[in-house]
Amino acid sequence: DTTEEKIANQQLMQIARMVSVGELAAGVAHEINNPLTGILGFSELLLERDDLDPDMQEIIRDIYSSGKRASQITEDLLHFARNQREPTKEVVNLTDILDITIKLVQSQYKKLNINIIRDYPDQKFSVYGNSGKIQQAVLNLLGNAKDAMTGARKGSKIIVSTWNEPDGSIVLRVRDDGPGIPKKIQERIF
């Protein structure tokens, strides 16, 4: 009976594939980190200057913020490759994360005639988590809505909302006026 031997060989092949993927992820992360270091360093130097007009400072802050996000992604790749601990969590400002995230994609979405509406107060919502992971989740939700609306040629707005619940929890909702999820797929989503 060679069944056990076949299973063991399949498991070894799977482990070898995962090792290869981990090595590839580490290599990609290191290659991306090199130019990112320059982008972050030079944008920090520019932000220290007093002679830049406010519009230019805002653009440089956006470059720096995008660089930090890319840096977090490469760090996550390295954690995956090394099978290290979970990304660090801390108290972060959800409102600021949403503002930055929406700003990252807003001009691209406007070109597609999709308007992102901020439906949340200026109130600062403090949450415990990883800002990069929260931003990635929101980007994924925005991207899914955009793809569905452009694919179906239906819908023109995405609404991002936050609010406090009576139990003290904070709700983040991303909704759109697109075609929605087909019934046959809805029961398989989660």
Side-chain angles (χ1 to χ4, degrees):
D1 185 18
T2 60
T3 304
E4 286 183 26
E5 186 178 330
K6 286 180 184 178
I7 291 172
N9 283 336
Q10 287 175 342
Q11 288 173 339
L12 283 173
M13 287 175 55
Q14 182 66 23
I15 290 169
R17 278 191 220 116
M18 290 302 292
V19 168
S20 294
V21 168
E23 289 172 359
L24 177 64
V28 167
H30 282 295
E31 288 299 317
I32 292 172
N33 263 339
N34 292 333
L36 269 179
T37 301
I39 291 167
L40 290 170
F42 286 122
S43 60
E44 276 184 305
L45 287 173
L46 287 170
L47 286 172
E48 291 175 5
R49 291 178 51 173
D50 296 334
D51 60 338
L52 297 175
D53 66 78
D55 289 340
M56 185 58 69
Q57 287 178 338
E58 186 66 25
I59 290 168
I60 295 168
R61 272 195 287 281
D62 290 345
I63 292 169
Y64 181 78
S65 176
S66 295
K68 288 295 279 184
R69 181 176 171 274
S71 179
Q72 182 65 50
I73 291 168
T74 59
E75 186 179 318
D76 291 347
L77 275 173
L78 286 171
H79 284 302
F80 167 76
R82 296 179 185 147
N83 198 17
Q84 290 185 346
R85 61 177 171 75
E86 286 289 313
T88 58
K89 293 180 182 176
E90 58 190 354
V91 176
V92 295
N93 186 309
L94 181 61
T95 306
D96 288 347
I97 293 170
L98 293 175
D99 286 343
I100 291 166
T101 305
I102 291 169
K103 194 174 214 177
L104 285 173
V105 298
Q106 197 156 28
S107 63
Q108 175 192 358
Y109 283 39
K110 279 187 180 178
K111 291 176 186 173
L112 298 169
N113 295 318
I114 297 172
N115 188 25
I116 302 175
I117 299 167
R118 295 177 174 136
D119 182 27
Y120 50 87
D122 289 336
Q123 173 187 355
K124 304 297 184 185
F125 291 110
S126 295
V127 296
Y128 183 71
N130 179 280
S131 60
K133 295 289 187 188
I134 294 169
Q135 187 176 46
Q136 188 63 51
V138 174
L139 281 171
N140 288 344
L141 292 170
L142 293 172
N144 289 345
K146 173 191 63 98
D147 292 345
M149 287 191 283
T150 55
R153 293 190 172 103
K154 181 181 177 195
S156 63
K157 66 182 174 184
I158 301 171
I159 303 164
V160 179
S161 309
T162 58
W163 64 87
N164 279 320
E165 286 288 302
D167 66 358
S169 61
I170 297 169
V171 177
L172 164 63
R173 178 173 64 186
V174 178
R175 59 189 165 108
D176 62 77
D177 64 349
I181 300 169
K183 289 276 187 205
K184 63 182 179 183
I185 296 174
Q186 285 180 8
E187 55 194 48
R188 296 187 323 212
I189 291 175
F190 299 106

